[in-house]
Amino acid sequence: MESPTTAPTPESSPKTSYPPTCENSLSDFLGSHPHVQFIRYQWVDLSGILRARCLHKTHALKLACTDQPLRCGPITLQALADNSIMPDLPRSGVHELHPDWSSLRTLGCGRSAANATVMCSIIERLPQDENRPNSSKCPRQALSEILNLAARRWGIQFLVGFEVELVILQDNNNRKDGDPLLVPLGSGPGHYCVASMREPSFQYLEECVTELISAGVSIQDFHVEGTTGQFEIALAPLPPIQAVDELVRVHDMVKTTVKKHGYIATMVPKLPQLHQGSGEHIHISLSPTDHEDSFLAGMLHHLPGICAVTMPFAQSYERVGRLEAGERADWGTENRDVAVRKIEPGHWEIRCADATANMYLALATLLAAGLLGIKCQRPLRSSDVSLASDATVADSVDIPEELPRTFGDALQLLKASSPDLAQLLHNDILNYYVAVKQVESMRMAQLDQDQVDRLMVTFF
């Protein structure tokens, strides 16, 4: 659960803006990977679902040669987790997928060796807007703009690391009425216990890690986590966009590798058959650390609303509590009971997050809140709960706000925070995100538990 990060210096960090589309980048990649036949143009939608269109390499090369995007219908950000679409879907117009060729990566060995992926930003062109290019709803672009703003205005650079918690599930062949469709493949003791490494499921975790390392993913460690067959893979820190790109690939490769054996790897935050939830803790470090208190104060101030982005489904809120997501918008040095664990100067772990989030948007919102704290010189008034006595906490200038206990409450808090966050983060994306999630949550609530569980473990 550590995933330590060391903040970069501005001079040594990669640029966060998208590099230009380049035929040579794709040609060189294909020359080095002759088995690759197909290129997936991928994006993560506002529901946190990974989506893609697959191109044969010849067509991808043709587009790259002429610097053309891939054109699709205006549905890339409007499809919902129940497989319906937003009611206001435009009947005409186009969404362009613009590949960032620096994100081009392979997807493993075997049948997967024929596939590579490239992450895309989305530009919308609608007739009612005179077909003007509009990227204000693209989560990846939102993160890029926040990073550029941080570097340009304050000279701040970031590194980000993720902890991926997962469980391997199997069909419940002895199911009776009321029993879950899926149950954990392993159920040994947790807390780093070696005995659980003898469970059948651990061999598939090892295979996943081997595949990831072979594909160039930098992994710090993997281990037994919870008591219902839960594992964790800690990823090495990277600049934010590259970190999320890597996380998307890790999710995809882990689920694909386990599926080959007839099982399901899931990072769903909470299922009825599991005793504890799965989070996806976010490590954020910034450099320089001169304004770390104001940055932390900004994050904490908006954290209850940001939960709607970092924990975007009803199941997410079953994790709110000590040792999982925290209970309040508070912080503590090396304290895992709270929402934000401080690890070292300028380095925090955000614990109220899970794998159902669109991490491009989650990071963009968290960083915007922190930078807004710097912009407003917000003082850090809440105490370090690891050092404070009960009397000190009682006398604190600010009593930390409770984290929302339902997704509906979180959405209302996000709406309240949006005008402030819009000072740095394009307001269109938060407004549209709220609209999408309001419709989606109502439709998901109409499904029975088995339908919801199936959808969740399929996507996440």
Side-chain angles (χ1 to χ4, degrees), residues 24 44 74-75 81-82 111 120 126 178 205 285 322 330 333 369 393 404 443 457:
N24 290 337
V44 181
I75 194 175
D82 69 336
R111 288 181 58 189
C120 299
L126 301 178
L205 178 71
S285 62
R322 290 177 178 272
D330 53 4
T333 301
V393 172
R443 293 183 179 175
V457 299

Side-chain angles (χ1 to χ4, degrees), residues 348-395:
W348 306 276
E349 175 195 49
I350 315 301
R351 299 177 62 80
C352 49
D354 63 54
T356 62
N358 181 313
M359 282 298 176
Y360 298 105
L361 183 58
L363 271 181
T365 311
L366 283 165
L367 299 184
L371 293 172
L372 191 58
I374 294 176
K375 178 176 182 287
C376 300
Q377 297 183 337
R378 180 178 291 277
L380 182 60
R381 296 183 182 275
S382 58
S383 303
D384 181 343
V385 300
S386 301
L387 303 177
S389 64
D390 291 341
T392 305
V393 172
D395 293 337

Side-chain angles (χ1 to χ4, degrees), residues 176-207:
K176 300 176 183 178
D177 288 344
D179 288 347
L181 294 168
L182 300 164
V183 293
L185 179 60
S187 57
H191 314 304
Y192 316 128
C193 192
V194 172
S196 289
M197 296 182 181
R198 304 185 190 110
E199 293 280 338
S201 53
F202 194 77
Q203 65 180 308
Y204 301 123
L205 178 71
E206 288 182 318
E207 182 180 342

Side-chain angles (χ1 to χ4, degrees), residues 76-314:
T76 61
L77 298 172
Q78 281 88 347
L80 308 177
D82 69 336
N83 285 317
S84 66
I85 57 176
M86 286 290 288
D88 59 349
L89 178 72
R91 297 302 176 186
S92 58
V94 65
H95 280 187
E96 298 175 346
L97 302 183
H98 289 260
D100 174 358
W101 292 111
S102 73
S103 71
L104 185 61
R105 298 290 187 274
T106 59
L107 277 176
C109 58
R111 288 181 58 189
S112 298
N115 295 276
T117 66
V118 62
M119 298 307 299
C120 299
S121 58
I122 296 170
I123 291 180
E124 182 177 67
R125 297 179 187 268
L126 301 178
Q128 57 265 41
D129 297 326
E130 300 180 348
N131 292 316
R132 289 189 296 269
N134 179 10
S135 62
S136 65
K137 296 176 184 175
C138 175
R140 201 170 187 272
Q141 184 64 27
L143 178 55
S144 177
E145 290 172 0
I146 283 293
L147 295 173
N148 287 333
L149 176 66
R152 184 177 67 252
R153 186 178 297 185
W154 294 286
I156 292 176
Q157 302 282 338
F158 297 94
L159 282 181
V160 170
F162 293 101
E163 299 171 7
V164 180
E165 294 179 347
L166 67 130
V167 177
I168 297 176
L169 302 174
Q170 62 180 333
D171 288 320
N172 188 359
N173 295 325
N174 299 317
R175 185 176 185 242
K176 300 176 183 178
D177 288 344
D179 288 347
L181 294 168
L182 300 164
V183 293
L185 179 60
S187 57
H191 314 304
Y192 316 128
C193 192
V194 172
S196 289
M197 296 182 181
R198 304 185 190 110
E199 293 280 338
S201 53
F202 194 77
Q203 65 180 308
Y204 301 123
L205 178 71
E206 288 182 318
E207 182 180 342
C208 290
V209 171
T210 300
E211 285 269 315
L212 292 169
I213 292 172
S214 297
V217 176
S218 181
I219 292 173
Q220 292 188 325
D221 80 277
F222 61 101
H223 56 263
V224 176
E225 181 73 0
T227 58
T228 51
Q230 186 186 64
F231 305 118
E232 181 180 299
I233 302 172
L235 307 181
L238 290 168
I241 290 180
Q242 291 92 320
V244 184
D245 291 348
E246 194 90 301
L247 179 69
V248 169
R249 188 163 65 128
V250 167
H251 281 194
D252 186 25
M253 289 182 64
V254 166
K255 292 181 78 70
T256 300
T257 300
V258 171
K259 189 67 174 178
K260 292 175 183 176
H261 298 283
Y263 304 115
I264 297 175
T266 183
M267 300 87 176
V268 172
K270 192 68 174 180
L271 292 171
Q273 60 269 45
L274 303 180
H275 299 310
Q276 70 183 81
S278 292
E280 194 153 87
H281 301 160
I282 307 169
H283 286 254
I284 297 174
S285 62
L286 80 164
S287 174
T289 60
D290 303 11
H291 305 291
E292 62 165 330
D293 282 355
S294 292
F295 185 88
L296 176 57
M299 284 200 300
L300 293 174
H301 179 70
H302 292 285
L303 194 60
I306 293 174
C307 283
V309 186
T310 59
M311 302 192 301
F313 283 89

Side-chain angles (χ1 to χ4, degrees), residues 433-453:
Y433 174 80
V434 170
V436 166
K437 297 302 290 188
Q438 285 176 327
V439 173
E440 181 181 70
S441 58
M442 287 189 295
R443 293 183 179 175
M444 293 288 281
Q446 296 170 2
L447 305 178
D448 63 39
Q449 188 64 55
D450 284 348
Q451 290 174 310
V452 171
D453 290 348

Side-chain angles (χ1 to χ4, degrees), residues 269 311-319 405-407 441 456:
M311 302 192 301
F313 283 89
Q315 291 84 344
S316 301
Y317 293 82
E318 297 178 38
R319 287 185 59 249
R405 296 306 176 108
T406 70
F407 180 58
S441 58
M456 295 294 282

